[in-house]
Amino acid sequence: MKGKLLMGALLASATTLVPISGTGAGLGDWLNVLRGPTAGAKSDSALTEQDMAGGLRAALEAGVQHAVQELGRPGGYLDDAKVRIPLPAQLTTVGNTLRRLGQGRITDQFVASMNQAAERAAPEAAGVFMQAIRQMSVQDARAILQGPQDAATQYFRRRSGPELVSRMLPIVSQATDRVGVTARYKELLDRTGGIGHLLGSNQLNLDQYVTDRAVDGLFVMIAQEEKQIRENPAARTTQLLRKVFGAAR
């Protein structure tokens, strides 16, 4: 499976601190551990809420780092169909016209330049996500673990969405100049003899468009890893577990 699964360390730590019998235990089994022993039962190894929150924070940090690293590398956006930034809707007719004229290369270069700008800005997201993780309360942690399939992603959207846009926008603005997004855009319009301007594409805010799509891509990556770990049993012993939690048995 590509990369580290979001919250993989958390689930693995839980099965280390409080073993779950059987080989098919998943998130539902682990949540039973979080709820504590049944009435009348005694357990000296029950996972505390502090353990729960601390483990979730560590696992989310690992997942965020992985998502940011994946998107911040060359081709991180462009080569992944799930997060690739497409031609803006205002330019669909322009792009189709160029392809019919045998000049689709111009459109492809423009799309590539937008994705390259997003890849340059992605690392800025790490600090914003880490701040949200540090501010996570025990109540937040429990709500995430017992919530819907995308509870962690929703948490990040609420806490980090607006700040991600404000922090990444100036980076995108610098990157669009550096990788030639504006120049590619002008070339795109010039090659169609003004069709783009007639369609109102001259009103397009490229920097805002790239920033919004870049932020959406980050949430797509986080949601994908959250879904994977909720649907698949956690590894019982992993290198990540030993690194983060010391593998205390």
Side-chain angles (χ1 to χ4, degrees), residues 96-161:
N96 291 338
T97 299
L98 286 174
R99 293 196 185 281
R100 285 196 298 269
L101 295 173
Q103 299 186 43
R105 174 182 58 85
I106 305 300
T107 300
D108 294 338
Q109 290 176 342
F110 173 56
V111 169
S113 67
M114 290 191 297
N115 282 272
Q116 289 163 8
E119 289 155 15
R120 288 175 179 263
E124 186 69 17
V128 179
F129 281 128
M130 293 306 171
Q131 181 179 3
I133 292 171
R134 287 193 296 269
Q135 294 174 345
M136 181 185 296
S137 66
V138 169
Q139 290 74 22
D140 290 330
R142 182 173 288 279
I144 288 172
L145 291 167
Q146 297 181 334
Q149 294 296 312
D150 62 345
T153 307
Q154 289 182 26
Y155 171 82
F156 280 127
R157 279 195 179 275
R158 290 194 305 270
R159 295 298 180 90
S160 306

Side-chain angles (χ1 to χ4, degrees), residues 16-241:
T16 299
L17 293 170
V18 186
I20 298 175
S21 60
T23 58
L27 184 60
D29 302 288
W30 189 74
L31 288 177
N32 291 330
V33 177
L34 283 183
R35 297 187 183 100
T38 55
K42 294 182 179 180
S43 174
D44 295 328
S45 59
L47 190 65
T48 68
E49 292 205 328
Q50 287 73 25
D51 290 333
M52 174 189 69
L56 179 57
R57 290 188 190 103
L60 287 175
E61 287 176 3
V64 163
Q65 290 287 2
H66 176 250
V68 170
Q69 288 171 4
E70 284 293 297
L71 293 179
R73 63 180 176 79
Y77 279 90
L78 185 63
D79 296 341
D80 189 337
K82 296 186 300 298
V83 297
R84 182 187 303 123
I85 299 174
L87 195 69
Q90 299 96 311
L91 298 177
T92 300
T93 300
V94 175
N96 291 338
T97 299
L98 286 174
R99 293 196 185 281
R100 285 196 298 269
L101 295 173
Q103 299 186 43
R105 174 182 58 85
I106 305 300
T107 300
D108 294 338
Q109 290 176 342
F110 173 56
V111 169
S113 67
M114 290 191 297
N115 282 272
Q116 289 163 8
E119 289 155 15
R120 288 175 179 263
E124 186 69 17
V128 179
F129 281 128
M130 293 306 171
Q131 181 179 3
I133 292 171
R134 287 193 296 269
Q135 294 174 345
M136 181 185 296
S137 66
V138 169
Q139 290 74 22
D140 290 330
R142 182 173 288 279
I144 288 172
L145 291 167
Q146 297 181 334
Q149 294 296 312
D150 62 345
T153 307
Q154 289 182 26
Y155 171 82
F156 280 127
R157 279 195 179 275
R158 290 194 305 270
R159 295 298 180 90
S160 306
E163 187 176 355
L164 278 172
V165 173
S166 65
R167 289 272 292 271
M168 290 179 68
L169 182 57
I171 308 300
V172 167
S173 297
Q174 295 174 6
T176 53
D177 290 337
R178 192 173 301 119
V179 302
V181 173
T182 302
R184 300 289 187 188
Y185 176 59
K186 290 179 178 178
E187 182 180 8
L188 190 75
L189 297 182
D190 290 344
R191 291 300 184 96
T192 57
I195 292 177
H197 294 295
L198 291 175
L199 294 172
S201 57
N202 57 321
Q203 302 299 318
L204 176 63
N205 185 330
L206 281 176
D207 291 345
Q208 189 67 57
Y209 173 77
V210 173
T211 300
D212 290 342
R213 298 290 80 73
V215 169
D216 287 344
L218 284 162
F219 288 125
V220 166
M221 290 291 289
I222 290 174
Q224 175 181 289
E225 295 202 1
E226 180 180 7
K227 181 176 184 294
Q228 288 176 331
I229 195 58
R230 285 180 182 273
E231 291 182 351
N232 293 284
R236 294 301 176 257
T237 303
T238 66
Q239 183 176 354
L240 179 59
L241 169 62

